[in-house]
Amino acid sequence: MHERIQIFSVIGSVGLLILIFELVRRRRLKEKYSLVWLFTSLALFAVSTIPGLLDSFGHAMGIYYSPTAFFILAFFFLTLIALQFSVVISKLSERNKTLSQEVALLKQRIEELEKKGR
Amino acid sequence: MRLIAIIPAYNEEATVGKVVAEIHSAMPEADVVVISDGSVDATASVAAASGAAVVNLPFNMGIGAAVQAGYRYAEQGGYDIAVQVDGDGQHDPSELAVIIGPVMAGNAEIVVGSRFIGRSDSDGFKSTRMRRIGISLFARVLSVMTGHRLTDPTSGFRACNRKTIRLFAQEYPDDYPEVESLLLAHLAGFRISEEPVKMRARGGGHSSITPIKSVYYMVKVMMVLFIWLVRKKPELEGRDA
């Protein structure tokens, strides 16, 4: 890999790692959801610091132009992350629905009791 | 036997009061609960003034969530039989006895009021041609899947027993829930039957299903029906399940 691009990619992946670490440390990102991000940034870091890694990964997958291997890797991780988001959103919306219904039912019950109390 | 009528309503101020009044006169022994699904008009106050209990959902959550809130109300209130009546005046409360009958007699866990059985075809409101084609497609698929002869699975005019109330309080589809909820009841081992009813043209407000949405509706409901074939069957949780 060209030296200059290697410097940039090392800086980039280290920056991402630090950012994720900081977000988890400050509790802005839950540990549970940080795992897939950590793996992504570690993979980026490995690919940028170990020179032959991307090429041998590409060859192993039958890819002749190694930057393509990088895109495939990135695409794979981003897909995983997006899918995890969808799963989490589905769970949240189900809970949100149940909570809203229960709140509405409780409110109705309180109003009923207040009417009776008067 | 404690009876409850569940009326899901989204901005139905023009009709909901009349529906509640009609239910009161047709079945004085039944309690009535109106689920106002984040309505921004006077639906809630009109319903309260006509003597119904009113559950106000904090924002518009869709027909499925509104109906389910109604079943939760029925579950928590310990009701034995629940009927579902649309807030737009399409369903005629004087026919409630028709759909409650088989549930009361213990012949079915859930009874749907159908526009398409019995009586001559010229009676009553049958909706548009396109919609009828869609409905008959659902009816055929659902009939095959459940083994019951069903003709009007999109009808929201229903009566349920306590077991069905508990199932729906626990699990109910979000959008376009009518067809899917019948499959849910079937998979839980419940008997579904239909009784002939007449429907009226809506008295006010507007249908939630626009022509563009109806294509999405068809595709989504079909997909959901087939997904249930490979999903774990719904089961009643808790005591005397």
Side-chain angles (χ1 to χ4, degrees), chain A residues 25-90:
Chain A
R25 198 177 66 84
R26 293 181 193 185
R27 298 176 198 278
R28 298 264 300 274
L29 176 62
K30 281 191 177 290
E31 293 88 342
K32 202 169 149 189
Y33 305 125
S34 71
L35 271 183
V36 65
W37 280 112
L38 268 181
F39 282 126
T40 306
S41 51
L42 281 174
L44 276 177
F45 182 70
V47 161
S48 54
T49 46
I50 306 167
L53 191 65
L54 193 61
D55 290 321
S56 42
F57 171 75
H59 281 301
M61 288 193 61
I63 298 161
Y64 296 103
Y65 182 59
S66 34
T68 308
F70 173 80
F71 286 118
I72 286 180
L73 211 61
F75 183 78
F76 173 74
F77 277 108
L78 288 178
T79 306
L80 272 190
I81 289 169
L83 201 60
Q84 191 196 23
F85 283 170
S86 300
V87 170
V88 171
I89 289 169
S90 299

Side-chain angles (χ1 to χ4, degrees), chain A residues 93-94 96-98 100-105 107-109 111-112 115, chain B residues 53-59 61 65-66 68-69 72-73 76 172 174:
Chain A
S93 69
E94 185 61 32
N96 183 284
K97 181 181 82 171
T98 308
S100 315
Q101 289 170 333
E102 289 298 324
V103 167
L105 290 169
K107 217 171 145 193
Q108 191 276 335
R109 228 191 244 190
E111 281 162 5
E112 199 80 358
K115 242 189 278 169
Chain B
V54 179
V55 173
N56 266 308
L57 297 183
F59 36 82
M61 295 169 66
Q68 189 184 33
R72 282 178 193 268
Y73 182 91
Q76 293 169 12
Y172 201 76
D174 285 335

Side-chain angles (χ1 to χ4, degrees), chain B residues 103-118:
Chain B
V103 175
M104 202 83 104
N107 294 328
E109 270 72 42
I110 177 167
V111 173
V112 182
S114 168
R115 286 160 274 192
F116 304 117
I117 51 170

